[in-house]
Amino acid sequence: MTNRPSVLFVCVHNAGRSQMAAGFLRTLAGDAVEVRSAGSAPADQINPVAVQAMAEVGIDITGQRPRILTPEDSEASSVVITMGCGDVCPYFPGQRHEDWVLDDPAGQGLDAVRAIRDDIRNRVEKLIGELPITR
């Protein structure tokens, strides 16, 4: 059992938005936050343009793999952030839920994905400021 806040990022394919958000949170909060990401219909691999955009800011997400969202992932998380699939994510008492409205990077070029990445970073930085983190 841990007193660390736990955050679950959920998007449809778990290949772009949620993976970028998880990468930022892992990097910016370190071990102070438990980080999960999942998708309602996971892709076969991480979006290569998302990987490239994250590499530009020094974050390597190549080791991550898209995963299916499970009720256990949701139940174990104190904060659940959805990105375009909020209706498929189960709610459990005491959780904080947010839906971040973000463009889907699937099929988009690097410039568009950079803008999505930067928006996600800003939201993750704000989220970190709101979490009960003990360092």
Side-chain angles (χ1 to χ4, degrees):
M1 186 78 174
T2 179
N3 289 331
R4 292 185 304 164
S6 55
V7 177
L8 169 63
F9 294 104
V10 184
C11 68
V12 176
H13 300 297
N14 190 222
R17 295 167 289 190
S18 57
Q19 292 288 354
M20 289 190 287
F24 276 123
L25 187 56
R26 282 187 195 99
T27 300
L28 299 173
D31 291 339
V33 179
E34 187 175 357
V35 181
R36 296 178 181 87
S37 71
S40 55
D44 293 333
Q45 65 180 9
I46 302 293
N47 179 331
V49 182
V51 169
Q52 182 179 358
M54 292 299 284
E56 289 180 348
V57 295
I59 299 174
D60 182 4
I61 60 171
T62 58
Q64 302 302 313
R65 298 289 173 259
R67 308 180 41 233
I68 187 76
L69 173 65
T70 67
E72 293 80 16
D73 284 334
S74 183
E75 186 173 25
S77 302
S78 51
V79 179
V80 177
I81 308 286
T82 55
M83 304 170 185
C85 61
D87 59 335
V88 301
C89 193
Y91 283 72
F92 291 92
Q95 286 180 326
R96 172 180 166 185
H97 279 254
E98 288 185 31
D99 185 47
W100 290 356
V101 178
L102 297 160
D103 288 338
D104 188 346
Q108 301 216 37
L110 185 56
D111 286 338
V113 176
R114 283 180 182 131
I116 297 164
R117 174 203 65 202
D118 293 345
D119 188 4
I120 290 170
R121 181 185 189 125
N122 291 335
R123 291 170 190 249
V124 168
E125 288 173 343
K126 181 177 184 278
L127 175 66
I128 290 169
E130 298 168 351
L131 293 173
I133 296 175
T134 304
R135 293 191 190 243

